[in-house]
Amino acid sequence: MVELQVFFFPMLAHGHMIPTLDMARLFASHGAHSSIITTPLNAPAFEKAVEKSNDSGFRMSLKIVQFPKVSGLPQDCENADQLTSPEMSPIFFGATQMLKEQVELLLEQYRPNCLVADMFFPWATDSAAKFGIPRLVFHGTCFFSLCASEETRLHVSFDNFISDSDEFVVPNLPHQVKLSVSQVPPYQRQNTETEFSKMMIRVKESELKSYGVIVNSFYELEPDYADHYEDVLKRRAWHVGPVSLCNRSDEEKAQRGKKAAIDKDECFKWLDTKKPNSVLYVCFGSGTKFPRNQLHEIAVGLEASGQQFIWVVRNGKNDEVEEWMSEGFEERTKGKGLIIRGWAPQVLILDHEAIGGFVTHCGWNSTLEGIAAGVPMVTWPSFAEQFYNEKLVTEILRIGVAVGAKEWVAGTGSGNIKHEAFEKAARSVMVGEEAEERRDRAKGLKEMARKVTGEGGSSYLDLDSLIKSLSLYQPSC
């Protein structure tokens, strides 16, 4: 049998690169040759995993394209996580669209059996079709969010609302889901056309023309929405998640993403001293950088909650930290709290038995990692599809407590959650009868996630089905 060759092309941001790497490794473990397209300064994020996979007898490789030289970005900026202001985002997105010609040269040269391209490359469907190659879309989110956002886009007119605080029921969904206008992405609710809103229309058009959608989720987690996506919205899709579970050893889990800002042994030595389910893990992903006033409210709320905690702080240098941290905070919480300034080995931390709750921005990677670890959540969404993910966690799966965020704000968070609200949510997810019920449900989902990714599980079989389908693919032209 001829070896299947699959190219993966993630958006140049760690929140997109990490699950794409895991997915490429999964394809390789099922016998495909997985190649990841990236740029020189992003290549190190993939190299160790690629090398380790090849040492294990799988086939993986990197294909390098050069990031275009554009003005308005920081020096040597090839990753969205390096942007220092929201104004840089359109420039960065524009630069990534200029990779089209180089990607087409790779497709022409290697003629892979499939291109799995991030949603933010809408041109990839037509580029692949030039060479008779099917393109799969990777959105990086769940079926629920795909359904809720699409039903909102198709059937909700925002001209009818008086205020951004007005609420509406997302139409046509299997459950009643309410959102406020302010929680919907601005490109969906505002009449003014922007470059980003035009690109999102192209994203949807390219998805409909593509071979289908690959989803980092599993059927048993959201069966109503997996069915809705395929049967009602008529999208062809395969579920292959949780892809993070392809990382089986502690070394593999620790090496995901950037280099950790804390020694793994130091972190786990501290966790090993704590009782099961007694530590609250607080982390808002790689894209959310809260203003200082919000960091101060988090610090006050954490201390007032009385919970033991690990808090991952992305913002700034140590001298900046002191400006928002209440005086004596670290001294008063010594032994009770651990602050990690920078990147944390999140999957390893979530898997530790001492972790009893997870304060999350509801990015899908983090949300699904929390589900796979069986940890209930405090939900604090900021932007992208995070407010949809929150509804799945709190209302459909019932394993989370909302902190009360109401405003969609790209990159920075709204910064208006008071410490009393955070303290209440932190206590609610950690202590009491309802907390135990949520934890029991979360543990059940953990067991389910382990089963579906094992041999014979639904995600395992769906990936096998996809690979078989690609191996039999014949272009129509």
Side-chain angles (χ1 to χ4, degrees):
M1 183 176 172
V2 177
E3 181 182 55
L4 195 76
Q5 187 172 200
V6 182
F7 275 24
F8 295 83
F9 185 30
M11 184 61 185
L12 304 176
H14 280 91
H16 295 247
M17 290 158 53
I18 291 170
T20 301
L21 172 59
D22 287 340
M23 198 186 309
R25 292 179 62 217
L26 275 176
F27 271 75
S29 73
H30 282 245
H33 178 183
S34 295
S35 296
I36 299 170
I37 303 171
T38 192
T39 65
L41 297 183
N42 285 300
F46 300 106
E47 285 168 350
K48 280 187 180 177
V50 168
E51 185 180 335
K52 186 172 175 58
S53 289
N54 289 329
D55 289 345
S56 302
F58 303 138
R59 290 261 285 157
M60 290 188 70
S61 58
L62 294 179
K63 301 287 185 276
I64 305 299
V65 292
Q66 299 301 315
F67 194 85
K69 295 187 184 303
V70 294
S71 60
L73 297 178
Q75 188 175 2
D76 295 331
C77 174
E78 295 186 2
N79 192 293
D81 297 354
Q82 295 171 279
L83 303 182
T84 55
S85 73
E87 291 73 31
M88 291 180 180
S89 291
I91 302 170
F92 184 82
F93 274 104
T96 65
Q97 305 311 299
M98 295 162 66
L99 296 169
K100 176 181 177 181
E101 188 176 333
Q102 294 182 72
V103 171
E104 287 187 359
L105 286 172
L106 287 174
L107 296 177
E108 185 176 24
Q109 179 182 353
Y110 291 96
R111 301 294 175 121
N113 300 88
C114 178
L115 173 64
V116 179
D118 198 281
M119 61 172 278
F120 284 118
F121 301 122
W123 45 265
T125 298
D126 289 340
S127 291
K130 283 184 184 180
F131 309 104
I133 298 166
R135 182 260 177 128
L136 286 168
V137 182
F138 179 55
H139 285 279
T141 191
C142 58
F143 284 109
F144 175 84
S145 290
L146 290 170
C147 292
S149 62
E150 187 66 348
E151 293 290 8
T152 299
R153 184 182 77 89
L154 292 172
H155 301 297
V156 178
S157 172
F158 289 94
D159 294 337
N160 301 328
F161 297 105
I162 298 169
S163 167
D164 281 355
S165 61
D166 288 348
E167 290 189 331
F168 66 95
V169 175
V170 180
N172 303 328
L173 295 185
H175 299 84
Q176 186 178 85
V177 176
K178 278 187 180 180
L179 287 168
S180 64
V181 173
S182 59
Q183 293 174 319
V184 176
Y187 63 82
Q188 273 194 302
R189 56 183 154 98
Q190 293 172 355
N191 287 326
T192 52
E193 198 173 58
T194 65
E195 286 303 315
F196 191 78
S197 68
K198 286 189 281 187
M199 186 181 75
M200 292 307 291
I201 290 170
R202 293 197 297 272
V203 165
K204 289 300 173 186
E205 290 171 348
S206 73
E207 176 189 311
L208 289 169
K209 291 194 297 180
S210 73
Y211 189 67
V213 178
I214 190 164
V215 184
N216 180 19
S217 185
F218 56 101
Y219 183 82
E220 291 83 348
L221 181 70
E222 42 177 351
D224 292 338
Y225 296 93
D227 291 342
H228 188 91
Y229 193 62
E230 295 205 57
D231 299 340
V232 178
L233 293 174
K234 304 299 181 185
R235 306 305 202 265
R236 195 178 188 194
W238 291 267
H239 48 85
V240 300
V243 297
S244 63
L245 292 181
C246 75
N247 300 280
R248 305 207 182 270
S249 70
D250 284 356
E251 182 188 8
E252 288 173 337
K253 294 173 186 177
Q255 287 176 353
R256 291 178 85 237
K258 304 177 192 176
K259 180 176 172 58
I262 188 171
D263 180 75
K264 176 170 69 76
D265 293 335
E266 177 191 345
C267 180
F268 291 97
K269 185 177 178 183
W270 186 88
L271 275 172
D272 287 344
T273 67
K274 307 303 178 185
K275 294 179 181 177
N277 303 319
S278 67
V279 176
L280 184 65
Y281 175 62
V282 184
C283 183
F284 297 99
S286 57
T288 301
K289 297 178 176 67
F290 282 123
R292 291 173 189 173
N293 69 304
Q294 186 63 82
L295 293 171
H296 176 77
E297 295 292 328
I298 294 171
V300 174
L302 262 181
E303 188 172 0
S305 75
Q307 303 305 309
Q308 300 181 103
F309 64 88
I310 291 178
W311 182 11
V312 183
V313 181
R314 297 273 190 242
N315 289 50
K317 304 167 187 172
N318 288 355
D319 58 344
E320 292 176 341
V321 168
E322 300 307 320
E323 292 182 20
W324 54 259
M325 189 176 283
S326 53
E327 189 176 347
F329 173 80
E330 284 193 273
E331 198 58 42
R332 290 192 304 275
T333 58
K334 193 172 183 180
K336 198 166 193 175
L338 179 65
I339 295 178
I340 301 175
R341 292 181 174 91
W343 193 268
Q346 179 162 291
V347 169
L348 268 179
I349 291 172
L350 286 171
D351 278 345
H352 196 283
E353 66 172 5
I355 300 298
F358 178 17
V359 182
T360 175
H361 65 306
C362 298
W364 185 242
N365 293 331
S366 289
T367 302
L368 192 56
E369 287 160 15
I371 289 168
V375 179
M377 297 172 227
V378 171
T379 58
W380 193 327
S382 292
F383 65 104
E385 88 294 0
Q386 295 163 13
F387 285 96
Y388 296 123
N389 294 340
E390 175 181 59
K391 294 295 183 180
L392 175 68
V393 169
T394 58
E395 297 182 13
I396 311 298
L397 302 177
R398 296 187 299 127
I399 58 169
V401 179
V403 78
K406 294 293 183 186
E407 186 181 1
W408 195 104
V409 183
T412 62
S414 56
N416 60 3
I417 301 298
K418 298 302 180 186
H419 63 84
E420 295 91 348
F422 180 47
E423 175 193 347
K424 181 180 177 182
R427 286 179 184 274
S428 179
V429 86
M430 294 295 286
V431 181
E433 189 176 329
E434 287 187 0
E436 289 306 313
E437 290 171 358
R438 283 188 209 96
R439 188 163 289 120
D440 287 345
R441 284 192 287 270
K443 298 292 185 191
L445 294 176
K446 172 184 177 177
E447 295 309 311
M448 203 181 287
R450 269 29 183 200
K451 286 178 183 175
V452 300
T453 51
E455 192 166 347
S458 61
S459 290
Y460 184 98
L461 292 174
D462 226 28
L463 178 54
D464 259 1
S465 170
L466 173 56
I467 288 173
K468 183 178 180 181
S469 174
L470 293 172
S471 68
L472 297 173
Y473 177 79
Q474 295 290 330
S476 55
C477 55

